[in-house]
Amino acid sequence: MTPLIPTVDDLSADPITHHFDDMVAPAGLTNMLGTVRVDHDLTALSAVQFPPVSQGLTQTAVLFVDGRLFASYGVPVTHEWRPDRVVRRGVLGDLTIETTTVCVPGSAAVAIDIVVSSTSARTVEIGLSAAARVTRSASAWLDAESPSGTDAATVAGETIEFSSADAAAWSVQGLVDGEAALSGVAALPAEFEIGIGGNGRGGDLSVVLEVAAGGSARTGYVHAIGTSADAARETYAKVAADVPGAVAAAEEFWNRQLTAAFTPGNGEFSGALPVLETASEPLRRIYWWAALGVIWFRRDWEGNVLGRSYDTLMPNYWGTTTFIWDYSLSSFSHALLDPAEMRNQIRHWISLDIHSHFGTSSITGGPVGRWYSVNDYAMIRLVHDYVRLTGDLDFLSEKVGDATIAESVQEWATAWKALRRDTELADYGEIDNLLECVSSYTHEVASLNAANVWNMRTAADLVAAQGQDATASDLRASADDLLPSIVSRYLPGQGIFAAGQPDGTLLPVRHCYDFSVVGTTIAGDLEPGIRAEMVEFFQRELQTENWMRALSPWDPDASYSVRPDHQWNGAYPAWPADAGRALAALGAPEVLTDWIAGLAQTANQGPMGQAHFVEEAVPGIGGGARKAPPQLPYITDWACSSSGAWIELVIESLFGVDVALDGTVTASGCVSALDPSAVLRGLRVAGAAYDVHADGQVTAAEAP
């Protein structure tokens, strides 16, 4: 019998063996209180962040064996990730060193269980170079890299204690039953920048292990964070007393989260995802992969101004920031899994000016970054999914500020009119307002103008549900009036659209965002020939076996950047899912179903990365498209929350589920091409639960 709910073992990544600084993105771990980056040697960690305490990308716990830097031995290291841990392993002569790293559940701490085995009896000295730059910023973390500062370091028994200048942030690090000493290196200047000339040293931790022939010995490293010395010391002492116990607790914690995510009435989330019953391993793998990628970003740290939030990236960049765009790409998933949090997040964004930032901080609640052009579309999508899946129509009548939520939806649906220049289409600004690394994708883009048609029609449905039929009629008429101007930008025979520029010229763009958004918003309004040519373009220039290119390599702008989330050499994690939804909407579901087996191969490196490379750019890993790394020029993070887009792909496109505002659920999908016996069990809509079958039948859910 195939399993219905995954465990940490089911979501284990493939082992990755590499040498120093190979093109392998360092993995991340979280306990929903904080995050850590697990680096390339056997013990090193970076970016140990437990809000409100941060320390940038500072690296610590770099390994020395018998006094020599481990990395300098040149031996390969194998990493094995799963949700609760990272196991790292290396062989050095007669020694095998294996470490297991966890974020300790319920604690602002990271622990590493270190086991050294030997084929001969010997003494082994394990040394770790300890560093910290902990600080507690009085404001939001407004840059991609979190704040850091110069710390004082002191020895306290087996530990080194690091403290910020105002004593508001502390890091306590040590090796169990080991020794600690300061490095003796002069203090670094305040303007010191991680990665530009060095990392910094605070001190050295060491322990001598006696290993019997054919036997092993162990120690443990603990890194505890606190906003006071007592808090950090107490956390350190508790974890150091039983490091193997912390490892076991992490496994139990993550199995509990995974079970809860698919169990109605659980104590972890305010909703639940439906269970997928299928004999198709690729389909199941994609669905579980997507679910993990949403759960992974839940943040419940004490002091979070929203109580609970879902971060967007980890472990390197934009900690404590939730981007409106990325959150909306998992909109359907949030509405099913955690509707109470989603409701709170929507209200919070409405209370701010969504036309002045791209997201908000869970430290202050305030805005972060510049305006993203997608925000109106994103917010309408969020309200629509929340209302139709929860049945909470009263939400539309609630006031936030001076307007009801329904009035805000109407405002967003027509905001495009103020962005017009000399044409009927809205000008969505420059590169930084859109895709950031595609210089030609600017101004009057087809995607967001097509989204405006969808926005007005969706707003019409929402206000009609409140009895505002005249307003709904006006919105639908405006949507119909806008359509011809969008279609006029289509380039016949090419499958692409042109973006209007301020000087009146039309610039052809071969980007997936036009394909996906046009395909998922106005496919039914396009002529069959246009739909067919769009699909042909996608297959010819964007699709690969196990991933896709965001930008066609035939586009002249492919020379502009190598950042793989939006360029020719890879794609952002939501783009294959959204492209798949577009394929189904454009009348080519067989292209989607034929692609699923290849896409599932990329679910082999932990949660979806901010970008994966196509294999033309960088060889894959174990048959999957390789995650892109955080360093320049790629600057992409190891995991990204928009993986929830794949849940929508499975439910709304493969199963063909349609949920109307009145709670009616119908289905007409293509999943039978993958598994004619597949069933989604327990899809919860407006307080009722349904089973959705591959043949399109929707029945009352079977009792558990």
Side-chain angles (χ1 to χ4, degrees):
M1 182 175 177
T2 57
L4 298 179
I5 295 177
T7 66
V8 291
D9 284 326
D10 294 313
L11 293 165
S12 296
D14 290 349
I16 300 175
T17 300
H18 59 88
H19 286 78
F20 174 74
D21 210 26
D22 281 352
M23 188 77 85
V24 174
L29 290 171
T30 181
N31 59 3
M32 300 184 179
L33 302 178
T35 60
V36 61
R37 188 176 96 177
V38 182
D39 283 337
H40 285 166
D41 84 358
L42 296 176
T43 53
L45 306 173
S46 295
V48 181
Q49 319 276 14
F50 285 90
V53 175
S54 65
Q55 54 180 320
L57 295 177
T58 305
Q59 186 179 64
T60 190
V62 176
L63 179 63
F64 288 74
V65 178
D66 290 333
R68 178 176 172 178
L69 182 70
F70 172 78
S72 74
Y73 286 101
V75 301
V77 172
T78 298
H79 284 209
E80 297 179 12
W81 181 94
R82 64 182 210 186
D84 60 317
R85 67 183 62 176
V86 175
V87 175
R88 292 176 276 184
R89 187 180 303 105
V91 177
L92 190 60
D94 60 349
L95 296 178
T96 297
I97 304 173
E98 181 174 288
T99 67
T100 303
T101 305
V102 300
C103 267
V104 182
S107 297
V110 180
I112 306 178
D113 185 33
I114 303 169
V115 178
V116 181
S117 305
S118 178
T119 57
S120 60
R122 58 169 295 178
T123 299
V124 182
E125 181 184 7
I126 296 296
L128 304 180
S129 179
R133 289 178 59 81
V134 289
T135 189
R136 181 175 182 178
S137 174
S139 60
W141 300 359
L142 296 175
D143 293 320
E145 185 178 320
S146 69
S148 67
T150 301
D151 290 347
T154 58
V155 171
E158 68 184 30
T159 71
I160 299 176
E161 297 183 347
F162 298 88
S163 59
S164 60
D166 60 1
W170 291 76
S171 165
V172 177
Q173 303 178 46
L175 278 167
V176 176
D177 297 328
E179 296 181 351
L182 298 182
S183 65
V185 175
L188 294 164
E191 63 271 16
F192 169 76
E193 185 174 351
I194 300 296
I196 308 298
N199 180 66
R201 287 173 57 202
D204 302 300
L205 307 171
S206 62
V207 66
V208 176
L209 301 177
E210 298 293 337
V211 187
S216 63
R218 77 179 340 124
T219 185
Y221 164 81
V222 177
H223 187 153
I225 297 293
T227 55
S228 70
D230 287 346
R233 290 166 185 160
E234 181 180 346
T235 299
Y236 178 88
K238 179 181 177 181
V239 177
D242 187 8
V243 170
V247 171
E251 179 175 6
E252 189 279 331
F253 172 83
W254 273 102
N255 277 333
R256 187 170 72 249
Q257 303 309 312
L258 293 168
T259 298
F262 297 94
T263 305
N266 65 81
E268 297 289 344
F269 305 94
S270 58
L273 299 171
V275 169
L276 174 63
E277 184 178 299
T278 181
S280 169
E281 194 278 334
L283 177 62
R284 180 171 55 250
R285 190 176 191 184
I286 281 176
Y287 187 62
W288 286 354
W289 187 40
L292 172 66
V294 177
I295 300 165
W296 192 247
F297 288 90
R298 195 183 96 194
R299 300 291 179 261
D300 293 328
W301 52 274
E302 186 178 356
N304 185 329
V305 294
L306 296 178
R308 168 176 293 179
S309 58
Y310 286 79
D311 278 1
T312 294
L313 297 171
M314 70 82 72
N316 297 285
Y317 303 127
W318 294 113
T320 71
T321 297
T322 306
F323 287 63
I324 297 173
W325 191 354
D326 305 71
Y327 188 96
S328 75
L329 291 165
S330 297
S331 176
F332 196 90
S333 311
H334 287 295
L336 290 173
L337 177 66
D338 213 347
E341 182 279 337
M342 184 184 194
R343 188 179 194 277
N344 194 33
Q345 182 69 75
I346 292 171
R347 287 182 57 89
H348 182 67
W349 278 330
I350 295 174
S351 73
L352 303 171
D353 178 9
I354 67 163
H355 298 118
S356 64
H357 61 87
F358 55 51
T360 48
S361 163
S362 56
I363 293 178
T364 66
V368 178
R370 60 193 174 276
W371 169 61
Y372 271 177
S373 303
V374 74
N375 285 3
D376 292 313
Y377 174 40
M379 290 298 296
I380 294 175
R381 186 173 176 182
L382 290 171
V383 172
H384 180 241
D385 283 343
Y386 171 79
V387 170
R388 68 191 177 111
L389 289 170
T390 63
D392 185 9
L393 283 168
D394 291 341
F395 185 62
L396 296 171
S397 300
E398 290 187 17
K399 268 198 162 185
V400 180
D402 296 329
T404 66
I405 290 172
E407 288 168 343
S408 292
V409 169
Q410 293 175 61
E411 176 193 342
W412 303 328
T414 56
W416 65 274
K417 295 181 179 181
L419 299 176
R420 290 175 294 184
R421 291 181 289 100
D422 300 321
T423 76
E424 285 300 307
L425 299 182
D427 183 329
Y428 279 105
E430 300 287 349
I431 183 171
D432 281 348
N433 305 121
L434 288 154
L435 297 177
E436 297 179 351
C437 54
V438 184
S439 68
S440 59
Y441 202 81
T442 56
H443 301 294
E444 293 175 359
V445 293
S447 58
L448 295 181
N449 277 288
N452 288 330
V453 174
W454 182 91
N455 287 346
M456 289 187 285
R457 289 171 171 171
T458 302
D461 291 343
L462 290 168
V463 299
Q466 294 187 301
Q468 300 180 46
D469 293 336
T471 302
S473 179
D474 289 344
L475 286 165
R476 292 188 181 108
S478 293
D480 292 342
D481 289 344
L482 179 59
L483 264 169
S485 296
I486 299 164
V487 176
S488 71
R489 296 295 175 85
Y490 179 73
L491 301 179
Q494 298 189 52
I496 64 171
F497 293 79
Q501 302 301 297
D503 63 1
T505 59
L506 297 178
L507 191 63
V509 286
R510 313 179 86 83
H511 199 276
C512 74
Y513 199 61
D514 273 355
F515 173 80
S516 296
V517 178
V518 171
T520 54
T521 57
I522 62 168
D525 299 292
L526 302 176
E527 295 290 338
I530 294 177
R531 294 198 297 268
E533 288 175 359
M534 288 177 65
V535 171
E536 290 166 5
F537 159 72
F538 175 79
Q539 292 182 282
R540 181 179 66 245
E541 301 187 25
L542 301 182
Q543 185 181 17
T544 68
E545 180 182 354
N546 59 10
W547 202 241
M548 65 177 284
R549 312 173 188 96
L551 181 69
S552 166
W554 282 270
D555 191 300
D557 209 68
S559 64
Y560 179 77
S561 171
V562 292
R563 213 180 87 181
D565 44 353
H566 301 310
Q567 267 285 346
W568 68 271
N569 54 342
Y572 180 79
W575 296 165
D578 282 0
R581 292 197 301 121
L583 287 169
L586 289 165
E590 71 285 352
V591 179
L592 167 60
T593 53
D594 288 347
W595 196 21
I596 290 295
L599 290 171
Q601 292 182 276
T602 299
N604 69 336
Q605 298 158 62
M608 298 174 206
Q610 183 183 347
H612 290 246
F613 286 118
V614 292
E615 297 204 19
E616 298 154 331
V618 181
I621 291 177
R626 180 186 297 250
K627 284 189 178 190
Q631 67 263 27
L632 289 168
Y634 309 111
I635 54 171
T636 54
D637 222 331
W638 182 78
C640 179
S641 68
S642 67
S643 56
W646 295 69
I647 292 176
E648 188 163 352
L649 172 70
V650 171
I651 295 176
E652 289 206 307
S653 293
L654 290 173
F655 276 91
V657 171
D658 179 69
V659 179
L661 277 174
D662 65 1
T664 302
V665 180
T666 57
S668 179
C670 54
V671 74
S672 59
L674 301 171
D675 177 9
S677 63
V679 185
L680 270 177
R681 298 204 179 274
L683 174 67
R684 302 184 70 81
V685 174
Y690 302 93
D691 291 341
V692 182
H693 302 260
D695 62 3
Q697 290 189 71
V698 178
T699 59
E702 296 178 2

